[in-house]
Amino acid sequence: MHRLASLLLCLLVALPAFAERKQTFGELDVHYSVFNSSFLQPDIAAAAGLTRSKTGGVLNVAVLKAGKGVPAQVSGQIKNLLGQTSTLSFKQVLESGAVYYLAEFPLREREILTFSLSVQVGDSAPHSFTFNQEVFPDE
């Protein structure tokens, strides 16, 4: 699992093609990235319970407080330009003090998707934000 955390952290903050994206809410930093599931090595995908596919995407969310991963309730949906929406189902991954939330979604064609997310830590009020991402199947 340590390899999983390392890979996801790399995808989250290091790859130029997937530039770091972050929303800040007071003391909370919510980092997020979107990538094709086919970019994952088979063993890493299996360890995370993800399906590798040329037509599958993954949203990775990490919630940090004072630079440390914290558990959160993460929910969201995606919407395409036609207004069709799909609910995202997140899996929590715990690894050596890191906490990640992963959601898979289909990549039907090259398009711009709107991701709407809600993040809640403990009993605090939920924080919501939206971002757009161009996605496309891996050919």
Side-chain angles (χ1 to χ4, degrees), residues 2 4 32 36 38 72 135:
H2 181 66
L4 173 64
Y32 55 96
N36 289 48
S38 62
V135 297

Side-chain angles (χ1 to χ4, degrees), residues 3 9 12 16 18-19 22 33 45 49 57 61 72 76 94 97 100 103 107 109 111-112 117 119 126 137:
R3 286 184 53 194
L9 181 61
L12 187 63
F18 309 108
K22 176 176 79 167
S33 64
V61 177
L94 300 171
Y100 299 95
L107 298 174
E109 61 188 344
E111 62 185 333
I112 297 175
L117 300 179
V119 176

Side-chain angles (χ1 to χ4, degrees), residues 60-136:
N60 179 14
V61 177
V63 181
L64 305 173
K65 185 174 184 177
K68 297 188 182 209
V70 294
Q73 293 82 40
V74 180
S75 60
Q77 66 178 17
I78 55 175
K79 181 169 64 172
N80 66 17
L81 293 175
L82 297 175
Q84 298 165 321
T85 61
S86 298
T87 300
L88 294 167
S89 178
F90 287 89
K91 299 176 187 182
Q92 183 184 61
V93 176
L94 300 171
E95 170 61 34
S96 303
V99 183
Y100 299 95
Y101 297 90
L102 304 173
E104 295 179 278
F105 59 92
L107 298 174
R108 294 176 190 89
E109 61 188 344
R110 185 175 187 160
E111 62 185 333
I112 297 175
L113 297 176
T114 299
F115 293 79
S116 299
L117 300 179
S118 177
V119 176
Q120 182 177 6
V121 175
D123 294 332
S124 67
H127 302 288
S128 298
F129 64 99
T130 300
F131 68 94
N132 296 325
Q133 176 77 43
E134 183 176 15
V135 297
F136 46 91

